[in-house]
């Protein structure tokens, strides 16, 4: 079942805090275990290390990824 539209997309608060500390031009890896967080327009240009259960997969967020979840790109 999908999330209700009136609730809006879910983004982990810890992930938002990590994004606010780093600038997108620095290209530093932001490690996260939050695969179910939705990708918002503020995340475009950041490099995420998404945990797949064994190691971190690097994901560079582009505009086409907005609206999807981080876990979809860590296969």
């Amino acid at each position: 079942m999908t999330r209700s539209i009136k609730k809006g997309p879910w983004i982990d608060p810890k992930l938002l805090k990590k994004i606010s500390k780093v600038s997108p031009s620095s290209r530093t890896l932001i490690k996260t275990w939050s695969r179910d967080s939705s990708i918002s327009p503020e995340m475009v240009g950041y490099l995420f290390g998404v945990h797949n259960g064994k190691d971190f997969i690097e994901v560079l967020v582009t505009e086409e990824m907005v609206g999807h979840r981080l876990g979809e790109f860590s296969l």
Side-chain angles (χ1 to χ4, degrees), residues 4-66:
S4 174
I5 293 175
K6 72 176 182 180
K7 290 183 183 179
W10 186 81
I11 303 170
D12 190 18
K14 290 181 184 179
L15 186 60
L16 290 175
K17 188 184 291 186
K18 288 180 183 180
I19 291 172
S20 66
K21 292 180 182 178
V22 178
S23 67
S25 61
S26 66
R27 297 287 183 203
T28 58
L29 186 69
I30 301 172
K31 290 186 176 182
T32 183
W33 285 263
S34 179
R35 298 168 46 94
D36 56 344
S37 291
S38 296
I39 297 175
S40 64
E42 296 86 24
M43 296 181 182
V44 173
Y46 287 96
L47 183 65
F48 290 96
V50 184
H51 198 259
N52 69 351
K54 185 177 180 181
D55 46 66
F56 291 93
I57 306 297
E58 292 184 5
V59 176
L60 179 63
V61 178
T62 60
E63 291 183 17
E64 292 83 27
M65 296 178 179
V66 174

